[in-house]
Each structure stands twice: as C-alpha cells, then as structure tokens.
Amino acid sequence: MSKKALITGITGQDGSYLTEFLLKKKYKVHGIVRRVALEDGNHRLWRLRHILKKITLHPASLESYASLVKIITRTKPDEVYHLGAQSYVDYSFKDEFSTLNTNINGTHYILSAIKEFSPKTKFYFAGSSEMFGKVREVPQSEKTPFYPRSVYGISKVAGYDLTRNYREAYNMYCCSGILFNHESPRRGFEFVTRKITHAVARIKFGLQKDLELGNLDAKRDWGHAEDYVRAMWLMLNQRVPKDYVISTGKQFSVKEFAKLAFELVGLDYKKYVKIQKNLYRPSEVRSLLGNCNKARKELNWKPKYNFKELVADMVKADLEFVKKEGY
Ligand code: NAP
Ligand code: F7E
C-alpha cells in the first residue's frame, strides 16, 4: 500500500519540491494550506499548479490546534513534514510576535496532535542554520551550540527543542533537519538570491536600472532545494530518528553570488548594484558554513548541484520568467 505524507507549508519552495519527490515515490500527498490559498489558487498555488490534481489540500491554520487535530485524525499520515513557517528572517525583526506564534505554536500544536491522535506518525521539523547565528565554531555541525540572532532563529531553536523533547519523552519518531540556505527558481522574491537573479533578468531586458542590496559581505553555504528535500525524506526513513545538518560545505558571499549572476548575462555587477544601508539587519548573521559529514555517512546524502550550477539554474529560469510574464 502506498504511504501517506502530510506537508505543512506545501505552497512554499520546499513544499513544492518535496511534493514532486514524494509523488515520484508513489506517496499519497496531503497538504495543509491557508484558506486564502484555496480562494486565490492562481497566485498562491503557483508552485503546485502542475501537480494540483495529484494531491489533496486541506484548509487549516497553524495557529489553530483544533484545525490541525482534525486533519491529523482524518488523514493519519505515515509521515508529517512540518515546513510551514514565517521563514523570512528580515520580516521577523518587523513582526516578532507573529513569527514566534506561528513558528513555535504551530510546531507545538502539530507535535501534540500527533502524540494524542496518531503516535506512530513520523515527524520532520524544518530546522535552520539560522539557529547557529553568531557562530560558535567553523564549520557548524550537529554538535555546535546555537546562538540565534533573530526572532526567526529563536523560534527555530524552540521548534528544534520541542521536536527533540517529544522524541525523548514520548518515544516518537521525530527529527530535525538543520538545513543551510537552499535556493531554486521557486525561491520567494524577497530572499537575496532570487532578488538578484530576478533583477539580473529584468536589467537584461531593460525593465530595471539597478539593484539595491544590503550587506554584500554576508557569507552563506548555498545549496539547491531539490537536493535538500531528498534529505528530509531520508531522515524520516531510517531505523532511528536523529537530527542532521544538511549543507554543501562551501561558502560564498552575497557579492560573489551577484557577480556570477550578472556575469552569466554578460554584465558587470558593479555597474548595477547599489548599497542601501536600510537593508542591513539589526543583528546580522555574518557567516555560515555547514559540516554535513554525519548526513553524508549515515544517510548517504550528498548534493548534486554546486554553487555555479545553482546560480546558472536560477538565472536561466528568471530570464525565461521575465520574458514570458513581462515583469
Ligand atoms: P517558504 O517558501 O517561505 O514557504 C513557507 C511556507 O509556510 C508557505 O507554504 C507558507 O504558506 C507557509 N506559512 C507561512 N506562514 C504561515 C502561517 N501563518 N500559517 C500557515 N502556513 C504558513 O519557505 P521554504 O524556503 O520552502 O522553507 C520551508 C521551511 O524550511 C520553513 O520552515 C523554513 O523556515 C525552513 N528553512 C528554509 C531554509 C531555506 O534556505 N529555504 C533553510 C532552513 C530552514 P503561504 O504560501 O500561504 O504563505
Ligand atoms: O539573506 C543578505 C542578508 O534573506 C541572506 C531563509 O530561507 O536561509 C534564509 O535566511 C543574506 C543575509 O536569507 C539583501 O543580510 C544583503 O545576510 O536571502 P536571505 P537568510 O536570512 O540567510 C535560512 C537558512 C533560513 O532558515 C531562512 O528561512 O543576504 N542580504 N542584501 C540581503 N538579504 C535580502 N533578503 N535582501 C537584500 O537586499
């Protein structure tokens, strides 16, 4: 019999790639979406448009325990991938309360609903390298202490601890992926990589003159989302639940990302990138670099895309996007 997966945050970048991945593995895929997404499917379900007929969507709110209980009880999934979150770090400085409410309570409600109504369900939590924040060692592994630098990071540390505690206290199959930044042509436009590749395409087509960015010196360990959703599934399909760092082990600055993206269309980034001090964060995470040896060894996971291939994939997709959509 085919397995059943339930995904929160199915409309997001990772949710859409994970859905494709699980459908290929013959899973029955269920997703939790906000009611507005069903009412405005054309815009809000754009990443799922091509597979909508193959999945089942349930309206619910991460802020409502009752609505989550109903879906967990009804679907009794084999695996839950909890990806739903206010995921934009910069926004978490502007709206701390809703970031904490959605990210911490949402995680807690789902864990509690699984424990009470479907305790055999396996649970994946979308942890983040933002938990390392002001890093305590280089590179960062599962053993590195956390030092979050934003409410977003704090909410993810809380979710990680809740997940670990449910595993230890109630013997449930719960694990966290500590995923470093992963990007793709489906990345939201507010994140720096997509902001750059979209601007590169618009500048190339004469629709935009320049590109305002904040801290060009921030360094990230950037991978491709397609590779990272495979790791989520691997974590839920082991004998013993454990937490894993997922990363490429290579680090590049925002400047290096921009330089390469502009070069790919024959332009010099220096002529177009303008620094905007108000795009700097109140407390920045300056440098992240992951050590994913444990995942390589125990999950036999490794990324297929390198940095150049990631940037090239995003630039190519945005050239096609701008040409087709005109914006
Ligand atoms: P994303 O594209 O921003 O997607 C976030 C998803 O969460 C969307 O489906 C969104 O739904 C949903 N969501 C947000 N607020 C919600 C709320 N109040 N109620 C219900 N749903 C809500 O994020 P992603 O890049 O796919 O990341 C997936 C998960 O991994 C997130 O938890 C993120 O924090 C975490 N993570 C991401 C990265 C990365 O580099 N991408 C790295 C580490 C961890 P709507 O479409 O309705 O807004
Ligand atoms: O910023 C700098 C910014 O917003 C990356 C989320 O998926 O990954 C993501 O969080 C860096 C930061 O991603 C602009 O200051 C410069 O240093 O693309 P970002 P993020 O904050 O790293 C982690 C792992 C997650 O878990 C999160 O959910 O780029 N930067 N100029 C800029 N960033 C943005 N957004 N816009 C700029 O103009």
Side-chain angles (χ1 to χ4, degrees):
M1 215 170 60
S2 56
K3 281 196 191 173
K4 223 183 287 170
L6 176 65
I7 305 175
T8 73
I10 193 168
T11 58
Q13 169 188 259
D14 292 6
S16 66
Y17 283 116
L18 179 64
T19 301
E20 284 173 358
F21 177 85
L22 293 173
L23 286 173
K24 278 194 197 124
K25 292 214 164 288
K26 306 281 181 234
Y27 276 60
K28 289 205 162 44
V29 179
H30 293 254
I32 290 180
V33 295
R34 305 193 234 205
R35 181 165 292 284
V36 282
L38 296 181
E39 282 158 11
D40 183 17
N42 234 0
H43 289 110
R44 293 179 178 257
L45 300 175
W46 64 273
R47 296 181 176 100
L48 298 170
R49 209 173 283 148
H50 57 299
I51 43 175
L52 269 180
K53 291 210 171 89
K54 298 182 180 159
I55 60 180
T56 310
L57 297 179
H58 306 263
S61 166
L62 283 179
E63 280 103 50
S64 157
Y65 181 62
S67 74
L68 297 169
V69 163
K70 211 183 276 175
I71 295 168
I72 300 272
T73 314
R74 226 184 263 160
T75 53
K76 285 254 163 28
D78 298 286
E79 295 166 13
V80 166
Y81 295 87
H82 177 41
L83 312 182
Q86 192 303 91
S87 74
Y88 186 31
V89 175
D90 194 47
Y91 183 73
S92 78
F93 289 104
K94 288 154 188 134
D95 191 351
E96 298 182 350
F97 291 92
S98 79
T99 302
L100 286 174
N101 284 342
T102 305
N103 294 8
I104 302 181
N105 291 344
T107 306
H108 193 190
Y109 292 157
I110 290 177
L111 279 165
S112 174
I114 292 175
K115 169 177 161 264
E116 296 300 329
F117 302 102
S118 187
K120 292 222 153 46
T121 295
K122 296 177 171 184
F123 175 83
Y124 172 85
F125 173 66
S128 163
S129 51
E130 282 293 301
M131 302 192 300
F132 296 122
K134 188 172 175 182
V135 298
R136 307 283 89 190
E137 67 175 337
V138 182
Q140 297 84 52
S141 75
E142 295 79 5
K143 295 201 170 104
T144 306
F146 298 138
Y147 194 128
R149 295 270 283 168
S150 63
V151 157
Y152 170 80
I154 291 166
S155 76
K156 288 292 178 179
V157 172
Y160 170 91
D161 280 333
L162 280 164
T163 303
R164 179 187 46 71
N165 210 48
Y166 269 69
R167 177 171 71 223
E168 293 171 358
Y170 309 118
N171 204 23
M172 287 163 50
Y173 193 116
C174 299
C175 49
S176 295
I178 307 174
L179 271 51
F180 280 63
N181 296 52
H182 45 282
E183 320 291 316
S184 74
R186 295 186 199 167
R187 189 56 144 152
F189 291 93
E190 65 273 41
F191 299 96
V192 76
T193 55
R194 186 76 199 274
K195 186 174 168 183
I196 293 170
T197 59
H198 185 224
V200 161
R202 285 174 49 83
I203 289 169
K204 187 71 186 169
F205 285 113
L207 298 173
Q208 185 172 329
K209 283 204 166 66
D210 47 36
L211 166 63
E212 290 183 352
L213 292 175
N215 182 10
L216 291 188
D217 297 321
K219 291 184 178 150
R220 290 292 184 271
D221 179 329
W222 274 299
H224 198 296
E226 258 183 69
D227 282 329
Y228 285 44
V229 299
R230 194 167 72 249
M232 297 175 187
W233 175 80
L234 283 167
M235 282 182 227
L236 288 199
N237 285 278
Q238 302 300 308
R239 222 167 34 80
V240 182
K242 291 186 200 168
D243 305 323
Y244 292 91
V245 160
I246 299 297
S247 63
T248 67
K250 301 248 160 40
Q251 189 188 54
F252 297 89
S253 64
V254 172
K255 194 189 287 170
E256 286 168 308
F257 191 105
K259 182 171 180 289
L260 177 56
F262 276 93
E263 267 170 18
L264 285 168
V265 296
L267 300 175
D268 178 358
Y269 81 102
K270 287 193 198 129
K271 288 193 185 142
Y272 303 95
V273 172
K274 309 269 181 282
I275 302 299
Q276 251 319 329
K277 284 286 176 204
N278 65 9
L279 291 174
Y280 278 60
R281 293 179 183 171
S283 46
E284 172 70 298
V285 171
R286 290 176 43 235
S287 168
L288 290 171
L289 177 65
N291 166 357
C292 70
N293 286 345
K294 183 176 164 192
R296 283 180 183 262
K297 205 166 138 209
E298 296 183 11
L299 304 179
N300 200 17
W301 177 87
K302 63 172 189 224
K304 291 179 183 156
Y305 283 84
N306 66 28
F307 180 70
K308 273 194 180 158
E309 289 163 341
L310 168 70
V311 182
D313 189 34
M314 291 181 72
V315 168
K316 180 169 170 270
D318 266 329
L319 287 169
E320 281 161 19
F321 174 87
V322 172
K323 197 169 170 193
K324 183 159 167 258
E325 303 294 336
Y327 67 91

